[in-house]
Amino acid sequence: MNLSGKNQIILGNKKGSIELFNLETGILVLSKSKAHIGPIWAIDLLKNFFKVISGGADGMLKIWDYELNEIKISKYLYLRDQILSLKIFFNKNLIIISSLTSKILFFLLDSLQFSFSLQGHSLPIMSMDLHCDLSLIATGSADNFLKIWDLKNKLIRKSLNYHGSAITAVIFQKSTGNIFSASRCGKICFWSKNNYKLLSELKNYHLGPIWTLKISSNGNFLASGSQDKKLIIWKINEENFEENFLKPQKNNEDQSDFIKNLPQQKKN
């Protein structure tokens, strides 16, 4: 996660440490060892308030204050089950959490008091993302379903079962609100926000589970990272929706980073 206004990135690792790196130099700026007992599976930021929120395999939700190149624990909450993902819903004073249960849990950000929950999956929710207007949340689960939720009415708007394996990553495209989902089988699907039609399917590029998807701030590029240790950068092509993907553009045959063209729905 990028830290507010600085060329730095903060992450949690399998050893339970929170680390801050300089993106230009790759130098480790600070490390908080034993922040969690066991792997940290989820981390998010309150950028304007210099707070870090982390969740891990130890079932602990922790809020950290970041100041003067040091992070200190501010609040914590023990949930018992492993925390798999979390998102900050600052406008509503909420932290949204998924754990080994099949529920989406909502806690008040300022007090960590339980607010409400949503249930619709039958197995753990492995990934989730908030739409940019904060009206929708997308969740992907080990039950193979991608679900879109209406947060205002607290209802499931759509359930999609297409991947055939656990949904490991979901993300909204910032410019359109369309949805990307990725799965344990290494497939990426691109869905329309308007009618939830499958716009495109990417398979046989990754050779293992896809653990993460990230979208650029302008919505034109998608990054996918997999257990096969391959990072692929996809360019979303607005002009060639009906065409197949172009060949990888590689500067070096030994590189593991690729750029491929991904069709996008044509604009009316």
Side-chain angles (χ1 to χ4, degrees):
M1 305 295 297
N2 289 324
L3 203 59
S4 176
K6 298 184 178 180
N7 195 20
Q8 297 174 334
I9 190 168
I10 193 163
L11 55 86
N13 64 27
K14 283 190 174 182
K15 295 180 180 179
S17 299
I18 296 175
E19 297 176 328
L20 181 68
F21 287 89
N22 183 291
L23 284 173
E24 288 185 346
T25 64
I27 294 175
L28 178 64
V29 177
L30 70 86
S31 177
K32 181 69 175 181
S33 62
K34 299 180 180 179
H36 287 265
I37 301 172
I40 296 173
W41 297 129
I43 196 164
D44 205 352
L45 296 176
L46 271 175
K47 295 182 180 180
N48 295 334
F49 295 88
F50 295 95
K51 290 184 181 292
V52 180
I53 296 89
S54 61
D58 56 5
M60 296 292 292
L61 172 68
K62 295 186 177 183
I63 299 180
W64 307 82
D65 291 325
Y66 173 74
E67 54 185 19
L68 299 176
N69 285 333
E70 185 178 7
I71 55 174
K72 298 180 179 179
I73 189 71
S74 172
K75 301 173 186 175
Y76 65 89
L77 179 68
Y78 179 51
L79 298 180
R80 293 183 297 180
D81 294 306
Q82 292 191 44
I83 296 172
L84 302 181
S85 62
L86 64 87
K87 290 289 179 182
I88 304 302
F89 195 173
F90 180 71
N91 289 358
K92 297 292 184 180
N93 187 38
L94 291 171
I95 302 177
I96 309 172
I97 294 172
S98 71
S99 66
L100 282 182
T101 69
S102 57
K103 297 179 181 179
I104 311 171
L105 305 173
F106 294 76
F107 294 87
L108 298 180
L109 178 59
D110 54 4
S111 65
L112 296 185
Q113 181 181 350
F114 175 75
S115 180
F116 65 95
S117 65
L118 298 174
Q119 187 165 10
H121 287 286
S122 59
L123 289 173
I125 297 167
M126 303 181 71
S127 180
M128 60 184 177
D129 192 35
L130 272 170
H131 187 269
C132 60
D133 68 6
L134 306 179
S135 64
L136 301 175
I137 185 169
T139 56
S141 169
D143 63 9
N144 301 353
F145 275 91
L146 167 67
K147 292 182 183 288
I148 315 301
W149 305 75
D150 181 334
L151 286 179
K152 181 179 180 180
N153 298 307
K154 301 178 183 178
L155 296 172
I156 297 173
R157 179 174 289 188
K158 189 70 175 180
S159 292
L160 300 164
N161 185 359
Y162 182 80
H163 281 268
S165 63
I167 309 297
T168 50
V170 296
I171 195 164
F172 285 99
Q173 185 184 18
K174 291 180 174 62
S175 55
T176 65
N178 293 334
I179 307 157
F180 290 95
S181 59
S183 59
R184 186 176 288 275
C185 66
K187 182 164 61 179
I188 300 174
C189 291
F190 186 30
W191 306 90
S192 168
K193 175 200 171 187
N194 297 324
N195 56 17
Y196 303 107
K197 176 184 176 182
L198 181 65
L199 301 177
S200 187
E201 178 181 350
L202 311 172
K203 56 184 179 181
N204 301 323
Y205 291 101
H206 283 293
L207 303 178
I210 297 170
W211 295 123
T212 186
L213 293 174
K214 294 296 179 183
I215 199 86
S216 63
S217 58
N218 60 12
N220 293 335
F221 292 90
L222 175 76
S224 57
S226 168
Q227 188 170 306
D228 62 9
K229 299 182 180 179
K230 185 185 292 183
L231 171 67
I232 301 180
I233 309 299
W234 309 87
K235 183 178 180 182
I236 302 171
N237 193 328
E238 297 185 7
E239 298 177 354
N240 299 315
F241 178 61
E242 301 298 334
E243 295 183 8
N244 264 328
F245 310 110
L246 301 180
K247 292 181 180 180
Q249 301 173 10
K250 294 187 289 182
N251 297 326
N252 188 306
E253 289 298 326
D254 295 328
Q255 279 186 251
S256 59
D257 299 345
F258 298 86
I259 298 180
K260 297 181 182 293
N261 285 270
L262 175 61
Q264 186 183 34
Q265 190 177 24
K266 283 184 178 179
K267 296 178 181 178
N268 296 327

